[in-house]
Every structure is written in C-alpha cells, then in structure tokens.
Amino acid sequence: MAWVIFLLVLGVMGALVWASASIRSGVYLKALCEARTEERKVALTFDDGPDEEMTPRVLALLRRYRAQATFFVVGDKVRQHPELVQRILADGHTLGNHTLSHNPLATLYSVSRYHDELFWGGDVVERLTGRRMRLFRPPFGVTNPPIARAVKALGLTCIGWSVRSLDTTRLGRERVLRRIEKGLKPGAVVLLHDRLPESDRLLEEVLKLLERENYKAVTVDELFAIEAYEK
Ligand SMILES: [Zn+2]
C-alpha cells in the first residue's frame, strides 16, 4: 500500500513540476506558443538582452537579411544600455517584458513581488521609449499561480515558443541548428538569446536556413496579429 501512495505522490509532484516548467502546458497561464497559419512566417525571439556586445551584431544581421524579430528585454540591462533598446525599436523590431531582474528566485516570489518585477521591468522601457509593453516572456519558461495572477493583473500576454533551441546549453551550434530546422513550420516561434558568445554565428545560420526554406521572419505581434504595446 505504501508504495502505491508513494507513486501517487511522485506522480502529482511530477505533474506540478511539468505544469510550472513547460510553457506549452498552459496549465497556470495560457501562452501563445505557435500561430495557426499556412503562410511561411516564423517569429525569432531573443531573450535576456540587451547585451553590449551581441545585441548590435544581432541587429546588424537581422538588417542584412531583412528579418524582423522580438526582443524580450531585462529591465536592469535596459538601464545599462538604453541606446540599444532605442536601436531595436528604430529597426522595426518588437520589445517585450522579461522582468526587471531576471532573478531565478523570482519563481518563488509572491504575487505582489512578481507584479513589481513586471511593472518596473516595463516602466524602464516606458520611460525610455514612451511605449508600455504588453507582451511578456517568463524567465526560464516558468509559470505558476502567483506569476499567472501578476501577469493577469497587468493585462500582459504571455508569449511562449514552439522551438526551444537550447542555445544556452553545451549542445553546440550544429545540433542547436538542427533542432531549429526540425521545428521549422509556418507559425513557429523560436527561442534564442542575444547574450551568448555564439549568438551571432548561430543567428546567421538560422537566417540562411530561413532564406533557403523560403520563410519570412516577423515579429510575434505580427505573427499572432496582436498589439505589442498599450495604445
Ligand atoms: Zn531569460
């Protein structure tokens, strides 16, 4: 009998971890992960910037390949590099909220504390650009009941992904690229980062792949036909 209870507890715990960690589960917070479309459009998304070294290179590549993207920025880094955020906007890309501090412990925060993370993360960008962001990407892809309540209170739309490139792991560029190639389809949302030593080299390969396969890279708001900022 004891082992039955043990297995049950294990199963419930597993389900809870999965619901928190898998953005595609949508258990706590519904996230837009993939658009329903037949057009060959995909959204490239860059988390964790702006980064002094990589963001300018990423922007240059996007311009060269005439691709649009979405940058989920960290408020503290926006404060350090406001000029990069201006450049992202000037190039026609979209900005989204990736919290103020990107603290791993934020997943344990109360509703009001997470609310502050989102509010002040957005406030930095609003003061700088006059735009109040509506799109949110949860750090580490983690959602839970307090996060869901804070996101709803601020009226933000949660953006997930359909292709987790694993570019932050030690997988290596070739295998990361193959994962992206495998997940490529109309309406796909690709998770990337503009803060890694190889972010630019990987992006160039991805852009060549999109060109070869005749895909157009658009912002997430265009892909899902939603508003990126408050009116
Ligand atoms: Zn992140």
Side-chain angles (χ1 to χ4, degrees):
M1 194 59 203
W3 64 270
V4 174
I5 292 168
F6 173 74
L7 281 182
L8 268 174
V9 169
L10 207 67
V12 169
M13 275 169 61
L16 283 174
V17 168
W18 174 76
S20 296
S22 169
I23 196 149
R24 292 171 66 89
S25 75
V27 170
Y28 297 126
L29 183 61
K30 210 169 121 24
L32 299 175
C33 295
E34 191 178 321
R36 252 184 241 157
T37 178
E38 303 207 330
E39 284 179 79
R40 292 179 85 77
K41 282 184 187 175
V42 295
L44 302 181
T45 64
F46 295 93
D47 286 11
D48 299 359
D51 179 84
E52 194 173 13
E53 201 184 323
M54 271 304 151
T55 307
R57 296 191 197 183
V58 163
L59 287 172
L61 280 167
L62 291 171
R63 200 176 312 144
R64 195 187 318 152
Y65 284 84
R66 292 193 182 85
Q68 298 304 132
T70 304
F71 292 80
F72 290 96
V73 293
V74 176
D76 284 339
K77 294 191 186 173
V78 172
R79 275 194 193 129
Q80 289 166 32
H81 307 293
E83 74 291 348
L84 292 176
V85 173
Q86 304 280 23
R87 235 193 286 173
I88 290 171
L89 268 188
D91 281 2
H93 306 298
T94 291
L95 289 170
N97 193 330
H98 200 44
T99 73
L100 178 67
S101 70
H102 204 277
N103 188 338
L105 295 179
T107 55
L108 304 172
Y109 283 2
S110 63
V111 178
S112 72
R113 208 153 163 215
Y114 206 91
H115 184 281
D116 282 353
E117 272 288 325
L118 292 172
F119 180 84
W120 295 113
D123 186 70
V124 182
V125 169
E126 189 174 355
R127 279 165 197 261
L128 187 66
T129 66
R131 314 231 190 171
R132 192 192 289 249
M133 300 178 291
R134 291 194 55 191
L135 309 180
F136 161 64
R137 159 79 49 80
F140 315 103
V142 172
T143 59
N144 58 32
I147 294 177
R149 282 178 62 191
V151 167
K152 279 174 198 158
L154 286 165
L156 301 175
T157 300
C158 185
I159 306 292
W161 54 76
S162 62
V163 183
R164 182 171 217 168
S165 69
L166 296 183
D167 59 346
T168 54
T169 68
R170 290 160 167 263
L171 206 58
R173 203 169 68 244
E174 275 312 307
R175 286 171 72 186
V176 166
L177 194 66
R178 242 175 291 145
R179 282 178 61 87
I180 296 171
E181 190 167 8
K182 235 175 107 189
L184 211 56
K185 60 184 218 172
V189 177
V190 184
L191 170 62
L192 296 162
H193 296 80
D194 56 334
R195 62 164 170 83
L196 306 166
E198 291 214 326
S199 289
D200 52 344
R201 295 179 68 185
L202 173 64
L203 174 61
E204 181 144 32
E205 302 281 334
V206 172
L207 290 167
K208 281 181 187 161
L209 169 69
L210 295 184
E211 208 172 59
R212 247 186 351 256
E213 301 282 328
N214 201 24
Y215 278 96
K216 190 179 173 208
V218 300
T219 60
V220 285
D221 43 311
E222 182 178 337
L223 188 72
F224 292 104
I226 55 176
E227 294 291 335
Y229 310 103
E230 297 290 341
K231 288 253 170 75

